[in-house]
């Protein structure tokens, strides 16, 4: 009889792969070998400098398909000398597993892979299971999950529901799952004036007053009061720069950046139009030129509470004794791409140490996460 897959050991093995975006580091090679050996059909879907892995158990037309999305790439370790344990050591000390990616999110990938392998071995379902694992979630995310979804569409691959294994619990295991995410966009402003001597301001056109006025108008504006499933949208001024080191010179140019996290009351297009209108008003008032560029990381989305969220919440409550809060808080995740393919929710372990020096996870949580994922699969195919 085949022994169950140990999700803790698998997480430790993945942690020893130095897979800082976009380096694959051996993590996907390890998963591909493991899943192939368990009867999954695996395909590398690499694009650009990014490595991705698609794995399927069961045929394309074999009933329903439950999907999992996750990533094996990690953020840089920072000051390696500041780590108590090596960032790629994967060591267990006093019930904690240490390493970059321990919470975000190699443990989630390991827990689902272990659950899926044991599930199809023990009780082959009337349906299919897909794992779509990327190496580009922590980077630009252009050639990661997007590439996987593009490949799936081109090859007739379908998921009917998807679970993203990001860490979702703030403090206690099981307390929160994500049913949507806020949108995220960044706007870059450049005010062009006329340089001059600070003693003769009438001969110059100082870009700083219009820039400060614009930033105040944007930061003081209330975007909304929140919606049914989202908190109020926020706008943060994250930098204002001139690069001017002289005290007797009025600069010719000033730059500023704002970041907006927005709910489902807005689209990035609507917000871009509002930003442009505000900039034009200030430009006309001060007689300057204001250039603007925007980048959009993702639109706001919501998977309405229903069968998929009920499935995950019921499994979490059964294993943790806690009914998870349905939340849309936090930053962005690759669920923002998956939502265009199929209904998607997110559930994972406690994320307190993610991206920190000394990132680590409680071993017990990894075991519990595998149990939750196993129950989700069992109930989905019941």
């Amino acid at each position: 009889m085949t022994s169950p897959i140990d999700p803790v050991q698998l997480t430790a093995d993945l942690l020893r792969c130095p897979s800082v975006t976009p380096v694959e580091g051996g993590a996907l090679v390890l998963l591909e070998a493991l899943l192939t050996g368990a009867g999954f059909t695996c395909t590398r879907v690499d694009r650009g400098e990014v490595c991705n892995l698609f794995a399927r158990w069961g045929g394309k037309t074999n009933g329903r398909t439950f999907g999992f999305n996750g990533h094996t790439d990690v953020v840089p370790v920072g000051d390696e000398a500041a780590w108590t344990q090596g960032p790629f050591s994967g060591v267990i000390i006093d019930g904690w597993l240490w390493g970059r990616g321990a919470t975000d999110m190699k443990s989630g990938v390991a827990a689902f892979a272990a659950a899926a392998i044991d599930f199809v071995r023990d009780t082959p379902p009337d349906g299919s299971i897909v794992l779509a694992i990327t190496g580009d979630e922590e980077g630009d995310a252009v050639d990661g999950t997007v590439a996987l979804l593009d490949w799936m569409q081109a090859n007739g691959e379908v998921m009917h529901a998807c679970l993203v294994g990001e860490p979702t619990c703030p403090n206690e295991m099981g307390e929160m799952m994500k049913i949507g995410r806020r949108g995220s966009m960044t706007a870059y402003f450049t005010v062009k004036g006329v340089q001059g001597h600070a003693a003769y301001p009438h001969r110059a056109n100082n870009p700083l007053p219009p820039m400060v006025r614009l930033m105040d108008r944007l930061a003081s504006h209330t975007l909304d009061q929140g919606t049914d499933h989202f908190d109020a949208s926020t706008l943060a001024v994250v930098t204002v720069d001139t690069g001017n080191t002289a005290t007797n010179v009025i600069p010719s140019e000033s730059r500023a950046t704002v970041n907006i996290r927005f709910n489902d009351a807005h689209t990035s297009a609507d917000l871009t139009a509002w930003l442009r209108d505000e900039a034009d008003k200030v430009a006309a008032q001060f007689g300057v030129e204001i250039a603007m560029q925007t980048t959009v990381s993702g639109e706001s989305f919501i998977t309405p509470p229903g069968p998929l969220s009920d499935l995950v919440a019921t499994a979490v409550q059964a294993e943790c004794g806690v009914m998870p809060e349905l939340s849309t808080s936090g930053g962005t995740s690759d669920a923002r791409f998956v939502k265009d393919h199929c209904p998607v929710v997110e559930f994972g372990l406690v994320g307190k140490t993610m991206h920190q020096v000394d990132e680590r996870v409680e071993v017990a949580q990894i075991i519990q996460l595998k149990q939750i994922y196993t129950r989700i699969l069992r109930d989905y195919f019941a």
Side-chain angles (χ1 to χ4, degrees), residues 202-354:
H202 59 286
R203 297 177 181 172
N205 194 351
N206 194 335
L208 284 169
M211 179 63 84
V212 172
R213 179 68 58 84
L214 177 60
M215 291 301 104
D216 179 62
R217 287 177 66 98
L218 298 181
S220 300
H221 180 74
T222 299
L223 289 167
D224 56 72
Q225 300 293 335
T227 64
D228 288 345
H229 296 288
F230 289 87
D231 291 335
S233 302
T234 61
L235 181 149
V237 179
V238 295
T239 185
V240 178
D241 304 292
T242 63
N244 183 21
T245 59
T247 60
N248 61 347
V249 174
I250 293 172
S252 63
E253 185 176 281
S254 180
R255 296 167 300 281
T257 305
V258 302
N259 181 261
I260 305 177
R261 301 301 170 110
F262 57 96
N263 59 34
D264 54 351
H266 308 277
T267 66
S268 62
D270 295 337
L271 291 168
T272 298
W274 167 68
L275 292 168
R276 184 66 265 174
D277 183 61
E278 290 294 309
D280 289 345
K281 289 176 181 177
V282 173
Q285 179 183 357
F286 285 86
V288 295
E289 176 188 343
I290 301 180
M292 185 184 84
Q293 291 183 323
T294 59
T295 59
V296 179
S297 298
E299 300 289 342
S300 169
F301 75 93
I302 182 82
T303 299
L308 181 55
S309 58
D310 290 347
L311 172 76
V312 175
T314 299
V316 172
Q317 185 179 38
E319 296 296 337
C320 299
V322 176
M323 179 59 72
E325 173 189 351
L326 306 184
S327 173
T328 57
S329 62
T332 59
S333 76
D334 278 2
R336 70 189 189 273
F337 306 126
V338 180
K339 56 89 175 172
D340 294 327
H341 178 89
C342 68
V344 59
V345 297
E346 302 173 58
F347 180 78
L349 41 69
V350 176
K352 277 186 175 181
T353 67
M354 59 181 174

Side-chain angles (χ1 to χ4, degrees), residues 27-331:
L28 293 179
V29 172
L30 188 160
L31 287 169
E32 182 176 3
L34 179 67
L35 290 164
T36 299
F40 285 73
T41 300
C42 293
T43 306
R44 284 286 291 272
V45 187
D46 299 351
R47 191 164 81 180
E49 295 183 341
V50 176
C51 299
N52 304 294
L53 177 66
F54 178 88
R56 168 184 283 279
W57 187 92
K60 293 182 183 180
T61 59
N62 187 27
R64 296 175 297 167
T65 298
F66 190 87
F68 176 84
N69 173 250
H71 65 93
T72 54
D73 64 314
V74 298
V75 298
V77 302
D79 181 7
E80 188 167 351
W83 285 69
T84 304
Q85 305 297 328
F88 300 111
S89 62
V91 297
I92 298 174
I93 299 175
D94 296 329
W96 291 80
L97 177 58
W98 294 68
R100 175 59 84 220
T103 58
D104 190 14
M105 58 167 288
K106 289 182 175 180
S107 49
V109 172
F112 190 87
I117 290 171
D118 288 350
F119 180 68
V120 299
R121 282 175 174 170
D122 297 341
T123 54
D126 181 18
S128 303
I129 298 175
V130 159
L131 289 85
I133 312 298
T134 179
D136 187 35
E137 197 274 345
E138 300 290 7
D140 294 334
V142 174
D143 294 321
T145 294
V146 174
L148 283 161
L149 293 170
D150 288 347
W151 180 88
M152 289 173 63
Q153 183 176 17
N155 289 272
E157 296 284 358
V158 174
M159 298 182 292
H160 295 106
C162 185
L163 174 67
V164 177
E166 290 284 352
T168 57
C169 301
N171 298 295
E172 302 294 334
M173 189 66 177
E175 66 181 328
M176 183 178 289
M177 60 182 288
K178 308 285 188 181
I179 60 169
R181 293 277 186 162
R182 296 179 297 174
S184 175
M185 64 179 294
T186 302
Y188 306 88
F189 297 93
T190 302
V191 178
K192 296 184 181 296
V194 177
Q195 183 174 321
H197 197 296
Y200 304 97
H202 59 286
R203 297 177 181 172
N205 194 351
N206 194 335
L208 284 169
M211 179 63 84
V212 172
R213 179 68 58 84
L214 177 60
M215 291 301 104
D216 179 62
R217 287 177 66 98
L218 298 181
S220 300
H221 180 74
T222 299
L223 289 167
D224 56 72
Q225 300 293 335
T227 64
D228 288 345
H229 296 288
F230 289 87
D231 291 335
S233 302
T234 61
L235 181 149
V237 179
V238 295
T239 185
V240 178
D241 304 292
T242 63
N244 183 21
T245 59
T247 60
N248 61 347
V249 174
I250 293 172
S252 63
E253 185 176 281
S254 180
R255 296 167 300 281
T257 305
V258 302
N259 181 261
I260 305 177
R261 301 301 170 110
F262 57 96
N263 59 34
D264 54 351
H266 308 277
T267 66
S268 62
D270 295 337
L271 291 168
T272 298
W274 167 68
L275 292 168
R276 184 66 265 174
D277 183 61
E278 290 294 309
D280 289 345
K281 289 176 181 177
V282 173
Q285 179 183 357
F286 285 86
V288 295
E289 176 188 343
I290 301 180
M292 185 184 84
Q293 291 183 323
T294 59
T295 59
V296 179
S297 298
E299 300 289 342
S300 169
F301 75 93
I302 182 82
T303 299
L308 181 55
S309 58
D310 290 347
L311 172 76
V312 175
T314 299
V316 172
Q317 185 179 38
E319 296 296 337
C320 299
V322 176
M323 179 59 72
E325 173 189 351
L326 306 184
S327 173
T328 57
S329 62

